[in-house]
Amino acid sequence: MSNPFDEVSGHFVVLMNKEGQYSLWPAWIDIPAGWNVQYGEDSKINCLEYINTHWKDLAPRHLQKVKEISYEN
């Protein structure tokens, strides 16, 4: 079996967890616990474009808050 994440012509969804982190996910695979669909079902390229447009800070939310506090001081 080939890696489903390597499939160029497959259908994907964009997931996000409570920390605001995104994941590209094959649409036909069950969504893991703790993740919610944010976009899709769509082509891989459109899902990656969505992620690139919306995911501005790669740090998890709890670390973003720490960064905000340290910048204020």
Side-chain angles (χ1 to χ4, degrees):
M1 179 179 184
S2 65
N3 185 337
F5 294 92
D6 292 338
E7 184 67 37
V8 176
S9 62
H11 290 145
F12 291 82
V13 293
V14 175
L15 306 179
M16 187 169 70
N17 65 17
K18 66 179 182 170
E19 289 286 347
Q21 297 168 307
Y22 288 84
S23 178
L24 177 69
W25 199 255
W28 57 273
I29 297 178
D30 291 340
I31 297 168
W35 293 84
N36 296 303
V37 175
Q38 294 298 302
Y39 176 81
E41 174 174 328
D42 206 340
S43 67
K44 184 175 188 176
I45 190 129
N46 287 342
C47 287
L48 288 172
E49 184 176 316
Y50 180 90
I51 292 170
N52 288 331
T53 300
H54 290 86
W55 197 3
K56 299 300 180 190
D57 190 342
L58 297 181
R61 282 197 179 126
H62 76 277
L63 291 180
Q64 290 173 10
K65 292 176 183 176
V66 170
K67 286 190 320 188
E68 289 173 12
I69 293 169
S70 65
Y71 289 144
E72 291 173 0
N73 293 328

